[in-house]
Amino acid sequence: HHVAVEADVAVIGAGPAGLFAVFECGMLRMKCVVIDTLEAIGGQCAALYPEKPIFDIPAHPAIAGAALIERLAEQAAPFAPIYLLGRRVDALAEQPDGSFRLQTSKGEVVRARAVIVAAGAGAFGPNRPPLNDLDAFEATGAVRYMVSRREELRGKRVVIAGGGDSAVDWALSLKDIAARVTVVHRRPKFRAAPETVAQMEAAAERGEIDLAIPYQLHGLEGKDGVLDHVVLATLKGEERRVPADHLLAFFGLSMELGPIADWGLGLERSHIAVAPATCMTNIAGIHAVGDIATYPGKLKLILQGFSEAAMAAHAIHPRIFPGEALHFEYSTSKGVPA
Ligand code: FAD
């Protein structure tokens, strides 16, 4: 493993708290690398409610989730954070020299002298269907939760499960290149844009797509991670075996604490316990801010995460610049880099 990135502070999570931590660290001349599982920054605001207005951000009587994230990214931009997106931080360990070594799910190593965990309720990941031998079929790519290269499905028999936009959009997109597309949904009504649902139903009438409704995923058949059938079942127990090379499951995202539980951090009911004045965890040099951090009186609000980011940055400063006095300054007197 080579060292991909070195920075003063590694920020785990690109939600609102992580993004504002970049700004607060930047104002104290500390450079950040920000790592997030999602392909886009913004945490819950961007992934769960981009168009919903938030009413309790100071000085914004109403601002949509996505717009808030755009503003935070703009505010952090002068400090040129390095974004490593689309990868999870799997391991975090202190080194003999007091620095930290992080390892990502893409095998990269990140070195930093301090860490801010801004991981919300944990890493976003796909909801996985409870099926036999799922791990083996995931490992080979027979079962997938996203499509990064459409061409890989050319000529394949594809079963798509789910009733939202992803399922419908991919059914329409893949029907032209896949050998067969079967859409499995447990009820007739889809939760997707009516226009694309109508297109999918028209394609089904022309015989270009098979609709398996009302069916649910029941099992996977195949060997050594190579899929040959997806077994479907109705609630009454009627079964149907669909020949398939791939299953695409689109059941939405969920958050799980995941690897964070294994880093030796003091936890309290799936949250990281911190000292309220510094947001420091039980490990010196590792701080936690935002939804993941807990202490007596904690409010799980975005504005609280902003304040915690400021406290964590100030507490980390002496670690990055030992012996250098930190004179408190206002942003108005300092400005930000042009
Ligand atoms: P998050 O936004 O959860 O971001 C954490 C990020 O860390 C995620 O992107 C995750 O993928 C990433 N991550 C976690 N673990 C890892 C790992 N190991 N490796 C890499 N990345 C990782 N709050 C308000 O203040 N006002 C509101 O009106 C409001 N309305 C809401 C409405 C809805 C529908 C929801 C769901 C929430 C609302 N909230 C509101 C709550 C608010 O969104 C959260 O408090 C806020 O997003 C927390 O920010 P965060 O930066 O701590 O974490």
Side-chain angles (χ1 to χ4, degrees):
H1 290 307
H2 63 293
V3 174
V5 177
E6 261 177 284
D8 296 320
V9 182
V11 179
I12 302 174
L19 293 176
F20 197 64
V22 172
F23 173 82
E24 286 292 332
C25 288
M27 290 297 277
L28 301 180
R29 292 183 295 119
M30 302 187 292
K31 179 141 173 103
C32 295
V33 52
V34 185
I35 309 132
D36 202 295
T37 348
L38 296 177
E39 296 286 345
I41 62 168
Q44 295 175 46
C45 304
L48 300 182
Y49 58 103
E51 292 174 351
K52 231 170 95 121
I54 310 168
F55 301 104
D56 56 355
I57 302 298
H60 288 280
I63 184 166
L68 175 69
I69 296 307
E70 265 171 50
R71 297 289 172 82
L72 286 166
E74 188 186 327
Q75 201 167 20
F79 303 105
I82 301 162
Y83 289 110
L84 296 180
L85 301 176
R87 52 269 258 183
R88 193 171 80 163
V89 177
D90 283 337
L92 167 62
E94 192 169 0
Q95 302 300 105
D97 68 355
S99 71
F100 296 93
R101 180 183 189 279
L102 292 75
Q103 180 148 350
T104 75
S105 51
K106 289 203 172 163
E108 300 137 326
V109 170
V110 175
R111 291 292 289 267
R113 304 203 5 239
V115 176
I116 295 180
V117 185
F124 275 104
N127 284 320
R128 302 160 72 238
L131 298 172
N132 61 293
D133 300 328
L134 185 63
D135 291 344
F137 291 109
E138 287 174 346
T140 58
V143 173
R144 304 179 184 200
Y145 306 100
M146 54 181 275
V147 180
S148 28
R149 274 185 299 276
R150 179 174 174 264
E151 270 305 307
E152 289 179 4
L153 300 173
R154 181 177 289 280
K156 306 287 190 195
R157 299 163 303 175
V158 180
V159 171
I160 296 176
D165 285 310
S166 303
V168 174
D169 291 350
W170 278 111
L172 288 171
S173 167
L174 292 173
K175 72 177 171 53
D176 301 328
I177 64 164
R180 196 75 221 142
V181 172
T182 306
V183 176
V184 185
H185 189 35
R186 63 191 153 82
R187 54 199 193 102
K189 182 121 183 69
F190 281 77
R191 278 175 295 98
E195 170 60 22
T196 55
V197 174
Q199 284 176 28
M200 181 183 71
E201 283 164 351
E205 256 164 50
R206 292 193 300 270
E208 297 167 7
I209 292 176
D210 283 328
L211 294 183
I213 298 167
Y215 279 92
Q216 284 182 293
L217 297 176
H218 187 66
L220 301 170
E221 289 179 2
K223 205 165 166 268
D224 301 329
V226 180
L227 191 63
D228 53 56
H229 286 84
V230 175
V231 184
L232 313 179
T234 63
L235 287 178
K236 291 183 193 139
E238 298 150 42
E239 288 196 10
R240 177 166 156 189
R241 290 170 70 241
V242 182
D245 306 298
H246 291 281
L247 168 64
L248 305 180
F250 297 116
F251 296 130
L253 293 171
S254 65
M255 289 171 276
E256 56 170 37
L257 198 57
I260 296 173
D262 307 325
W263 298 343
L265 298 170
L267 299 180
E268 250 172 51
R269 279 188 266 119
S270 302
H271 295 80
I272 300 175
V274 300
T278 56
C279 290
M280 195 170 92
T281 66
N282 60 317
I283 302 176
I286 304 183
H287 296 245
V289 303
D291 277 13
I292 193 125
T294 191
Y295 49 84
K298 164 80 180 185
L299 292 176
K300 264 198 198 182
L301 288 174
I302 294 167
L303 63 86
Q304 197 89 357
F306 291 163
S307 150
E308 290 158 5
M311 289 190 292
H314 279 79
I316 287 170
H317 183 270
R319 205 178 166 88
I320 308 297
F321 301 107
E324 200 176 295
L326 172 55
H327 299 291
F328 182 84
E329 276 184 289
Y330 290 120
S331 69
T332 45
S333 54
K334 243 163 49 166
V336 296

